[in-house]
Amino acid sequence: MRKGLVGIFLWLIALLLAGCGADQAMKKGDKFYAVGEYFDAAVQYRKAYSQTSNKDRKVKGQRAMKMADCYRRIHFTSKAITAYQNAIRYKQDDSLTHFYLGQLQMRNGNYKEAERHFKMAADSLPTDDPHRLLALTGLKSAKEASLWKKDGSAYTVKRVDFFNSRRSEYSPMLAGDDNDQLFFTSTRNQAQGDEYSGITGSKNADIFWAQKDDKGKWGKPQTIDSELNTDFDEGACCFTPDGKTMYLTQCKTDPNYPRFATIAASNRSDAAWSKPTEVIISKDTLSSFAHPAVSPDGQWLYFVSDMPGGMGGLDIWRCQLLSNNETGVPENLGELINTAGDEMFPTFRPNGDLYFSSDGHPGFGGLDIFVAKLPATAESSSVHIEHPGFPLNSQGDDFGMTFEGRLNSGYFSSNRGDTRGFDHLYSFYNPEIVQTVKGWVYEQDGYELPAAQVYMVGNDGTNIKLSVRGDGSFTQEIKPNVDYVLLATCKGFLNHQEQLRVEPVTKSEEYVLQFPLANISAPVLIENIFYDFDKATLRPESATALDELVQLLNENPNITIELSAHTDYKGSEAYNEGLSQRRAESVVNYLIEHGIASDRLTPKGYGEGKPKTIKRKVAEQNPFLKEGDVLTEEYITKLPEEQQEQCNQLNRRTEFIVLRTTYGLFDKAGKLIQKPQPAAARQDSDSNQPSELW
């Protein structure tokens, strides 16, 4: 009898201790939940649930519900479904239970079950509840998803395990003039810090990067050796068009307060990235700002926020980028893009199309990728949204696009097929036909001009300004059967114009144009000018170069030039001077015959009097010469015979130099003449940039 009483007593103590342990676990879980640490909260809720008696059905069900909410938020789909089903088992479910189960069953690809739960939620939720609208959208998705998947698309998708680890990788972003750098976010073991996130159970994320070699092969992903990454979360980065500024998401931890994401900017100095500084978008300190994206023209910062004034959940907003990390007033992209659900991870294709991910538009489940054709203003009925279909989208989360040039190919992230909910990088390719123009802007007889601007106008209404990359190049998509004019400008240089029209093609094509800009303050070599031996007569093969000079003068109608001819040191000074003068006059006469006003041209023969000074590019082409060498007779005669002849050829040249840049702008009294100029040459008063081309 005593043994029986002892047993009962011990059983009561065990129950009491279990109850106390469950209550303590719930208190810890609630504390973690309050600051957004859902992984740690789920551990405590699970502990409390397992220590709760099955007879205490209400409490058991309530704890299952809290556990389910955490698992759902950290994308532990199977565990979340089980926990919600337990809440239903203990009769603690409500309308939202079935709504969330519908979403989770979509992630599992179980569309029949998803349809059943969405219908239950839609039938029981109030008509003005935003979750009801999302349930109706989910119901449509569940009914149609199998058919959409069967229809498929032209996309090819492959998992790129070379970049992936056993943890998460997401939000890839290509960078570099040749898209030869890939930045991405990862929670792999090499991330800084020793702590594991209470939100995900993984290490806090860092930004990693990989580099292509000269053969186009990717190198091993590596850490960034600067102050860019910290022990906190960094990720989801983007770059300005010039590649000099990175915008990224930061999420700092405070054990006593919820975590709010912020957007920060880091500047590149040589190859290193600076310590990020926060970009203040709003004085609202209780909202998150994340997932930055810069528009292709560099004028707008797009981002994700839960700030007041949105459509519900997370919305995509934008603000104008000003100087010194300052921004304009945020504006919401409107209800055609944003829904009562979450819209996240905006990114731009170079042609201006906005890609983003959403769980509020009809899709396969989780976050699906959508593409929006944006008008000039944020809210407009002309916004057209497309769902790219399967296999770019899946039943999991698909997000974070980055494009390899103008083609519809690149990388994105997805947690499809990963039972732990980890994201990984995938490549994508769509064989759509894209026609592009690639231009190179450089100093005539010199090197690239990354400070240049290119203006592109088409008779279809195209009117855009293009930035030039560090190697002097730019790339822009073009349409067939459109007449384009492209004008390259740079301070201190003359303008250069090219025209382009292409026909429709059956495969993607790239057309290359050259934009050599003449320096205003230095002699410019006119290559491929040929004269009869010992005469001033121009040879027929000189016509191409001379016609290009005519075009240059027509494109820059406000300049006058000195046209100079030079000889080598052979022969008398007087003879060489006379020969060079006649040759300069021959070129000037050709220009006059082709419509150039005579008072814009000054012929000058220098004979051997101005030997050539070697520039860096010429020195690289002739290794025996150095930049700054002057090819005087004394210098040349000390060289081997073969090199002497090369130097004499360099001295025998035709050049021009700009004398004035105000021709035709003022009358004799010095007053500005208000008369129209050729459209392609109209200039802004202080920037050497055209106000219009047509």
Side-chain angles (χ1 to χ4, degrees), residues 228-252:
L228 181 71
N229 291 312
T230 68
D231 290 349
F232 302 118
D233 264 317
E234 283 87 22
C237 68
C238 70
F239 300 92
T240 52
D242 61 10
K244 295 180 179 179
T245 302
M246 174 196 296
Y247 291 95
L248 65 149
T249 306
Q250 281 191 320
C251 204
K252 297 181 179 179

PDB file of all heavy atoms in Angstrom, residues 228-252:
ATOM      1  N   LEU A 228      32.932  45.029 -45.334  1.00  0.00           N
ATOM      2  CA  LEU A 228      31.583  44.912 -45.872  1.00  0.00           C
ATOM      3  C   LEU A 228      30.720  43.994 -45.012  1.00  0.00           C
ATOM      4  O   LEU A 228      29.594  44.328 -44.652  1.00  0.00           O
ATOM      5  CB  LEU A 228      31.643  44.375 -47.305  1.00  0.00           C
ATOM      6  CG  LEU A 228      30.289  44.226 -47.996  1.00  0.00           C
ATOM      7  CD1 LEU A 228      29.703  45.582 -48.324  1.00  0.00           C
ATOM      8  CD2 LEU A 228      30.421  43.398 -49.269  1.00  0.00           C
ATOM      9  N   ASN A 229      31.244  42.818 -44.664  1.00  0.00           N
ATOM     10  CA  ASN A 229      30.508  41.855 -43.851  1.00  0.00           C
ATOM     11  C   ASN A 229      30.826  42.025 -42.371  1.00  0.00           C
ATOM     12  O   ASN A 229      31.935  42.431 -42.007  1.00  0.00           O
ATOM     13  CB  ASN A 229      30.852  40.433 -44.286  1.00  0.00           C
ATOM     14  CG  ASN A 229      30.299  40.100 -45.665  1.00  0.00           C
ATOM     15  OD1 ASN A 229      29.129  40.343 -45.941  1.00  0.00           O
ATOM     16  ND2 ASN A 229      31.141  39.544 -46.529  1.00  0.00           N
ATOM     17  N   THR A 230      29.853  41.708 -41.534  1.00  0.00           N
ATOM     18  CA  THR A 230      30.020  41.782 -40.082  1.00  0.00           C
ATOM     19  C   THR A 230      29.494  40.484 -39.467  1.00  0.00           C
ATOM     20  O   THR A 230      29.122  39.549 -40.176  1.00  0.00           O
ATOM     21  CB  THR A 230      29.235  42.971 -39.500  1.00  0.00           C
ATOM     22  OG1 THR A 230      27.822  42.711 -39.632  1.00  0.00           O
ATOM     23  CG2 THR A 230      29.582  44.269 -40.222  1.00  0.00           C
ATOM     24  N   ASP A 231      29.434  40.450 -38.153  1.00  0.00           N
ATOM     25  CA  ASP A 231      28.853  39.289 -37.466  1.00  0.00           C
ATOM     26  C   ASP A 231      27.339  39.241 -37.610  1.00  0.00           C
ATOM     27  O   ASP A 231      26.714  38.232 -37.282  1.00  0.00           O
ATOM     28  CB  ASP A 231      29.215  39.322 -35.975  1.00  0.00           C
ATOM     29  CG  ASP A 231      30.688  39.041 -35.740  1.00  0.00           C
ATOM     30  OD1 ASP A 231      31.370  38.631 -36.694  1.00  0.00           O
ATOM     31  OD2 ASP A 231      31.155  39.237 -34.599  1.00  0.00           O
ATOM     32  N   PHE A 232      26.730  40.345 -38.084  1.00  0.00           N
ATOM     33  CA  PHE A 232      25.288  40.386 -38.289  1.00  0.00           C
ATOM     34  C   PHE A 232      24.951  39.873 -39.693  1.00  0.00           C
ATOM     35  O   PHE A 232      25.813  39.422 -40.440  1.00  0.00           O
ATOM     36  CB  PHE A 232      24.764  41.808 -38.085  1.00  0.00           C
ATOM     37  CG  PHE A 232      25.055  42.378 -36.728  1.00  0.00           C
ATOM     38  CD1 PHE A 232      25.841  43.508 -36.576  1.00  0.00           C
ATOM     39  CD2 PHE A 232      24.547  41.769 -35.590  1.00  0.00           C
ATOM     40  CE1 PHE A 232      26.120  44.024 -35.315  1.00  0.00           C
ATOM     41  CE2 PHE A 232      24.816  42.276 -34.321  1.00  0.00           C
ATOM     42  CZ  PHE A 232      25.610  43.409 -34.190  1.00  0.00           C
ATOM     43  N   ASP A 233      23.686  39.997 -40.062  1.00  0.00           N
ATOM     44  CA  ASP A 233      23.219  39.555 -41.388  1.00  0.00           C
ATOM     45  C   ASP A 233      23.499  40.621 -42.436  1.00  0.00           C
ATOM     46  O   ASP A 233      23.112  41.785 -42.272  1.00  0.00           O
ATOM     47  CB  ASP A 233      21.714  39.291 -41.350  1.00  0.00           C
ATOM     48  CG  ASP A 233      21.389  37.827 -41.121  1.00  0.00           C
ATOM     49  OD1 ASP A 233      22.046  36.978 -41.739  1.00  0.00           O
ATOM     50  OD2 ASP A 233      20.483  37.540 -40.324  1.00  0.00           O
ATOM     51  N   GLU A 234      24.150  40.223 -43.529  1.00  0.00           N
ATOM     52  CA  GLU A 234      24.274  41.062 -44.722  1.00  0.00           C
ATOM     53  C   GLU A 234      23.851  40.240 -45.930  1.00  0.00           C
ATOM     54  O   GLU A 234      24.112  39.032 -45.979  1.00  0.00           O
ATOM     55  CB  GLU A 234      25.710  41.547 -44.948  1.00  0.00           C
ATOM     56  CG  GLU A 234      26.156  42.680 -44.048  1.00  0.00           C
ATOM     57  CD  GLU A 234      26.728  42.188 -42.739  1.00  0.00           C
ATOM     58  OE1 GLU A 234      27.162  41.013 -42.690  1.00  0.00           O
ATOM     59  OE2 GLU A 234      26.722  42.952 -41.754  1.00  0.00           O
ATOM     60  N   GLY A 235      23.214  40.888 -46.893  1.00  0.00           N
ATOM     61  CA  GLY A 235      22.840  40.133 -48.083  1.00  0.00           C
ATOM     62  C   GLY A 235      21.958  40.901 -49.033  1.00  0.00           C
ATOM     63  O   GLY A 235      21.730  42.105 -48.865  1.00  0.00           O
ATOM     64  N   ALA A 236      21.451  40.196 -50.057  1.00  0.00           N
ATOM     65  CA  ALA A 236      20.538  40.751 -51.060  1.00  0.00           C
ATOM     66  C   ALA A 236      21.061  42.083 -51.585  1.00  0.00           C
ATOM     67  O   ALA A 236      20.462  43.132 -51.376  1.00  0.00           O
ATOM     68  CB  ALA A 236      19.131  40.910 -50.480  1.00  0.00           C
ATOM     69  N   CYS A 237      22.199  42.031 -52.287  1.00  0.00           N
ATOM     70  CA  CYS A 237      22.860  43.258 -52.730  1.00  0.00           C
ATOM     71  C   CYS A 237      22.536  43.568 -54.187  1.00  0.00           C
ATOM     72  O   CYS A 237      22.013  42.734 -54.931  1.00  0.00           O
ATOM     73  CB  CYS A 237      24.366  43.149 -52.527  1.00  0.00           C
ATOM     74  SG  CYS A 237      25.170  41.929 -53.595  1.00  0.00           S
ATOM     75  N   CYS A 238      22.860  44.792 -54.594  1.00  0.00           N
ATOM     76  CA  CYS A 238      22.745  45.219 -55.989  1.00  0.00           C
ATOM     77  C   CYS A 238      23.796  46.288 -56.234  1.00  0.00           C
ATOM     78  O   CYS A 238      24.473  46.748 -55.300  1.00  0.00           O
ATOM     79  CB  CYS A 238      21.347  45.747 -56.298  1.00  0.00           C
ATOM     80  SG  CYS A 238      20.991  47.337 -55.487  1.00  0.00           S
ATOM     81  N   PHE A 239      23.944  46.715 -57.490  1.00  0.00           N
ATOM     82  CA  PHE A 239      24.990  47.665 -57.850  1.00  0.00           C
ATOM     83  C   PHE A 239      24.412  48.785 -58.706  1.00  0.00           C
ATOM     84  O   PHE A 239      23.449  48.594 -59.457  1.00  0.00           O
ATOM     85  CB  PHE A 239      26.106  46.967 -58.628  1.00  0.00           C
ATOM     86  CG  PHE A 239      26.766  45.861 -57.854  1.00  0.00           C
ATOM     87  CD1 PHE A 239      26.304  44.561 -57.953  1.00  0.00           C
ATOM     88  CD2 PHE A 239      27.821  46.125 -57.005  1.00  0.00           C
ATOM     89  CE1 PHE A 239      26.887  43.535 -57.238  1.00  0.00           C
ATOM     90  CE2 PHE A 239      28.416  45.110 -56.279  1.00  0.00           C
ATOM     91  CZ  PHE A 239      27.951  43.811 -56.397  1.00  0.00           C
ATOM     92  N   THR A 240      25.032  49.959 -58.603  1.00  0.00           N
ATOM     93  CA  THR A 240      24.704  51.049 -59.508  1.00  0.00           C
ATOM     94  C   THR A 240      25.249  50.716 -60.895  1.00  0.00           C
ATOM     95  O   THR A 240      26.151  49.881 -61.032  1.00  0.00           O
ATOM     96  CB  THR A 240      25.300  52.369 -59.002  1.00  0.00           C
ATOM     97  OG1 THR A 240      26.707  52.177 -58.738  1.00  0.00           O
ATOM     98  CG2 THR A 240      24.612  52.833 -57.735  1.00  0.00           C
ATOM     99  N   PRO A 241      24.730  51.345 -61.958  1.00  0.00           N
ATOM    100  CA  PRO A 241      25.179  50.999 -63.309  1.00  0.00           C
ATOM    101  C   PRO A 241      26.677  51.130 -63.527  1.00  0.00           C
ATOM    102  O   PRO A 241      27.257  50.372 -64.305  1.00  0.00           O
ATOM    103  CB  PRO A 241      24.399  51.986 -64.193  1.00  0.00           C
ATOM    104  CG  PRO A 241      23.162  52.270 -63.422  1.00  0.00           C
ATOM    105  CD  PRO A 241      23.591  52.281 -61.985  1.00  0.00           C
ATOM    106  N   ASP A 242      27.340  52.068 -62.827  1.00  0.00           N
ATOM    107  CA  ASP A 242      28.786  52.211 -63.001  1.00  0.00           C
ATOM    108  C   ASP A 242      29.582  51.224 -62.153  1.00  0.00           C
ATOM    109  O   ASP A 242      30.811  51.165 -62.244  1.00  0.00           O
ATOM    110  CB  ASP A 242      29.237  53.643 -62.695  1.00  0.00           C
ATOM    111  CG  ASP A 242      28.944  54.073 -61.254  1.00  0.00           C
ATOM    112  OD1 ASP A 242      28.562  53.219 -60.422  1.00  0.00           O
ATOM    113  OD2 ASP A 242      29.096  55.272 -60.964  1.00  0.00           O
ATOM    114  N   GLY A 243      28.890  50.425 -61.321  1.00  0.00           N
ATOM    115  CA  GLY A 243      29.560  49.404 -60.523  1.00  0.00           C
ATOM    116  C   GLY A 243      30.343  49.933 -59.339  1.00  0.00           C
ATOM    117  O   GLY A 243      31.027  49.168 -58.657  1.00  0.00           O
ATOM    118  N   LYS A 244      30.222  51.229 -59.037  1.00  0.00           N
ATOM    119  CA  LYS A 244      31.032  51.820 -57.974  1.00  0.00           C
ATOM    120  C   LYS A 244      30.362  51.786 -56.599  1.00  0.00           C
ATOM    121  O   LYS A 244      31.024  51.980 -55.582  1.00  0.00           O
ATOM    122  CB  LYS A 244      31.397  53.253 -58.345  1.00  0.00           C
ATOM    123  CG  LYS A 244      32.292  53.360 -59.572  1.00  0.00           C
ATOM    124  CD  LYS A 244      32.618  54.803 -59.901  1.00  0.00           C
ATOM    125  CE  LYS A 244      33.525  54.891 -61.121  1.00  0.00           C
ATOM    126  NZ  LYS A 244      33.832  56.307 -61.483  1.00  0.00           N
ATOM    127  N   THR A 245      29.053  51.585 -56.561  1.00  0.00           N
ATOM    128  CA  THR A 245      28.322  51.561 -55.288  1.00  0.00           C
ATOM    129  C   THR A 245      27.502  50.287 -55.187  1.00  0.00           C
ATOM    130  O   THR A 245      26.820  49.905 -56.143  1.00  0.00           O
ATOM    131  CB  THR A 245      27.402  52.788 -55.157  1.00  0.00           C
ATOM    132  OG1 THR A 245      28.182  53.984 -55.257  1.00  0.00           O
ATOM    133  CG2 THR A 245      26.680  52.779 -53.820  1.00  0.00           C
ATOM    134  N   MET A 246      27.586  49.659 -54.032  1.00  0.00           N
ATOM    135  CA  MET A 246      26.768  48.486 -53.734  1.00  0.00           C
ATOM    136  C   MET A 246      25.724  48.882 -52.686  1.00  0.00           C
ATOM    137  O   MET A 246      26.054  49.501 -51.684  1.00  0.00           O
ATOM    138  CB  MET A 246      27.631  47.350 -53.174  1.00  0.00           C
ATOM    139  CG  MET A 246      26.829  46.136 -52.692  1.00  0.00           C
ATOM    140  SD  MET A 246      27.775  44.991 -51.632  1.00  0.00           S
ATOM    141  CE  MET A 246      29.018  44.410 -52.761  1.00  0.00           C
ATOM    142  N   TYR A 247      24.476  48.532 -52.938  1.00  0.00           N
ATOM    143  CA  TYR A 247      23.430  48.647 -51.931  1.00  0.00           C
ATOM    144  C   TYR A 247      23.130  47.238 -51.420  1.00  0.00           C
ATOM    145  O   TYR A 247      23.055  46.286 -52.204  1.00  0.00           O
ATOM    146  CB  TYR A 247      22.168  49.288 -52.513  1.00  0.00           C
ATOM    147  CG  TYR A 247      22.338  50.750 -52.849  1.00  0.00           C
ATOM    148  CD1 TYR A 247      22.675  51.155 -54.130  1.00  0.00           C
ATOM    149  CD2 TYR A 247      22.184  51.724 -51.871  1.00  0.00           C
ATOM    150  CE1 TYR A 247      22.854  52.495 -54.442  1.00  0.00           C
ATOM    151  CE2 TYR A 247      22.354  53.070 -52.161  1.00  0.00           C
ATOM    152  CZ  TYR A 247      22.694  53.451 -53.451  1.00  0.00           C
ATOM    153  OH  TYR A 247      22.869  54.774 -53.749  1.00  0.00           O
ATOM    154  N   LEU A 248      22.959  47.100 -50.120  1.00  0.00           N
ATOM    155  CA  LEU A 248      22.747  45.788 -49.527  1.00  0.00           C
ATOM    156  C   LEU A 248      21.790  45.885 -48.353  1.00  0.00           C
ATOM    157  O   LEU A 248      21.526  46.976 -47.831  1.00  0.00           O
ATOM    158  CB  LEU A 248      24.074  45.185 -49.067  1.00  0.00           C
ATOM    159  CG  LEU A 248      24.816  45.910 -47.926  1.00  0.00           C
ATOM    160  CD1 LEU A 248      25.613  44.916 -47.094  1.00  0.00           C
ATOM    161  CD2 LEU A 248      25.769  46.967 -48.492  1.00  0.00           C
ATOM    162  N   THR A 249      21.281  44.738 -47.942  1.00  0.00           N
ATOM    163  CA  THR A 249      20.407  44.646 -46.781  1.00  0.00           C
ATOM    164  C   THR A 249      21.242  44.282 -45.563  1.00  0.00           C
ATOM    165  O   THR A 249      22.076  43.380 -45.627  1.00  0.00           O
ATOM    166  CB  THR A 249      19.323  43.585 -46.992  1.00  0.00           C
ATOM    167  OG1 THR A 249      18.632  43.864 -48.208  1.00  0.00           O
ATOM    168  CG2 THR A 249      18.342  43.576 -45.839  1.00  0.00           C
ATOM    169  N   GLN A 250      21.029  44.993 -44.461  1.00  0.00           N
ATOM    170  CA  GLN A 250      21.667  44.657 -43.187  1.00  0.00           C
ATOM    171  C   GLN A 250      20.592  44.417 -42.138  1.00  0.00           C
ATOM    172  O   GLN A 250      19.552  45.079 -42.138  1.00  0.00           O
ATOM    173  CB  GLN A 250      22.586  45.790 -42.713  1.00  0.00           C
ATOM    174  CG  GLN A 250      23.933  45.843 -43.396  1.00  0.00           C
ATOM    175  CD  GLN A 250      24.882  46.804 -42.692  1.00  0.00           C
ATOM    176  OE1 GLN A 250      24.495  47.882 -42.253  1.00  0.00           O
ATOM    177  NE2 GLN A 250      26.133  46.410 -42.589  1.00  0.00           N
ATOM    178  N   CYS A 251      20.861  43.465 -41.252  1.00  0.00           N
ATOM    179  CA  CYS A 251      19.915  43.166 -40.180  1.00  0.00           C
ATOM    180  C   CYS A 251      20.700  42.948 -38.893  1.00  0.00           C
ATOM    181  O   CYS A 251      21.289  41.881 -38.688  1.00  0.00           O
ATOM    182  CB  CYS A 251      19.107  41.922 -40.543  1.00  0.00           C
ATOM    183  SG  CYS A 251      17.511  41.831 -39.716  1.00  0.00           S
ATOM    184  N   LYS A 252      20.745  43.978 -38.071  1.00  0.00           N
ATOM    185  CA  LYS A 252      21.520  43.906 -36.833  1.00  0.00           C
ATOM    186  C   LYS A 252      20.673  43.314 -35.711  1.00  0.00           C
ATOM    187  O   LYS A 252      19.456  43.463 -35.685  1.00  0.00           O
ATOM    188  CB  LYS A 252      22.034  45.294 -36.454  1.00  0.00           C
ATOM    189  CG  LYS A 252      22.989  45.866 -37.497  1.00  0.00           C
ATOM    190  CD  LYS A 252      23.516  47.227 -37.092  1.00  0.00           C
ATOM    191  CE  LYS A 252      24.492  47.765 -38.133  1.00  0.00           C
ATOM    192  NZ  LYS A 252      25.009  49.105 -37.770  1.00  0.00           N
TER     193      LYS A 252
END
